[in-house]
Amino acid sequence: QGVLDTGRGIEDMISAFSSSGGPLALVLMGFGDGEETVRRSAAGSENVWFHESVQPSQLLNYTSQADIGLVLTADNCLSHALSAPNKPFQYLAAGLRIVVRDLPELRKLVELTAQGVVLRDGSAETLLDACIEALALPPSNELGIPTWDVYEQLITCRYSEVLSGLSQRCEISANSYWG
């Protein structure tokens, strides 16, 4: 779901699912420079499907119909390696398990929630195996992911520290979530 563009692992997904011939199917939903490639792949495969983007207000309804969310952000720059993109959080909020590329923050998220699988390598076989492994994970309603409410308190507290010249110390810590 989202922008269909290079660096998001779309080619890897299509390659894996196009050749699987098994019970797993891939639905790519969105728009962007890679849309035509996705459309052609979907037309030529029983396991790859394309769906046009939907309004943000409808996205959660569509997302929650899936079983797994794939986050295969390319490990091609420091920004990707050190970021935690929105997609895995959206997938977890929709009740999906996730399969992620082995990037530090994505690995932490999988370890924290126990609702995903970290890819060992980039092969098509490994991706399909990871999807099957993710499907076998027990569901969890209590993910332990810090929400905006937690971060709002933390940010407010940190600003209070700075404005008071550090005479007021925060009792709240995001480290309790991220280790």
Side-chain angles (χ1 to χ4, degrees):
Q1 66 185 32
V3 178
L4 303 171
D5 206 352
T6 58
R8 296 177 178 239
I10 293 168
E11 298 85 2
D12 296 336
M13 293 178 209
I14 290 171
S15 173
F17 285 86
S18 292
S19 62
S20 74
L24 298 175
L26 173 68
V27 178
L28 293 163
M29 173 187 249
F31 59 93
D33 292 342
E35 183 177 334
E36 191 53 42
T37 299
V38 173
R39 285 179 184 272
R40 278 193 311 272
S41 298
S45 172
E46 293 181 11
N47 293 53
V48 176
W49 298 81
F50 171 75
H51 193 291
E52 293 184 0
S53 60
V54 297
Q55 293 298 315
S57 61
Q58 299 173 327
L59 191 56
L60 184 59
N61 291 332
Y62 281 88
T63 303
S64 64
Q65 300 304 307
D67 296 309
I68 300 169
L70 302 174
V71 184
L72 305 184
T73 305
D75 186 9
N76 59 6
C77 67
L78 196 55
S79 176
H80 291 171
L82 300 178
S83 69
N86 291 331
K87 285 294 170 228
F89 295 96
Q90 292 170 346
Y91 294 147
L92 291 168
L96 308 184
R97 291 156 193 91
I98 56 176
V99 173
V100 301
R101 198 169 309 271
D102 193 3
L103 299 174
E105 295 304 315
L106 293 174
R107 174 177 282 286
K108 283 183 192 177
L109 182 61
V110 166
E111 291 169 354
L112 175 71
T113 63
Q115 289 298 295
V117 176
V118 178
L119 287 173
R120 295 181 308 278
D121 62 50
S123 73
E125 184 178 341
T126 299
L127 176 54
L128 295 172
D129 288 346
C131 289
I132 291 168
E133 185 180 341
L135 285 170
L137 292 171
S140 172
N141 293 330
E142 188 55 46
L143 297 177
I145 299 171
T147 62
W148 171 245
D149 294 338
V150 171
Y151 281 111
E152 178 183 28
Q153 293 173 23
L154 179 62
I155 291 168
T156 302
C157 191
R158 293 289 186 235
Y159 276 119
S160 294
E161 278 183 341
V162 170
L163 294 173
S164 72
L166 300 179
S167 63
Q168 294 179 331
R169 298 300 297 175
C170 285
E171 301 294 322
I172 303 167
S173 171
N175 289 340
S176 61
Y177 295 99
W178 294 108

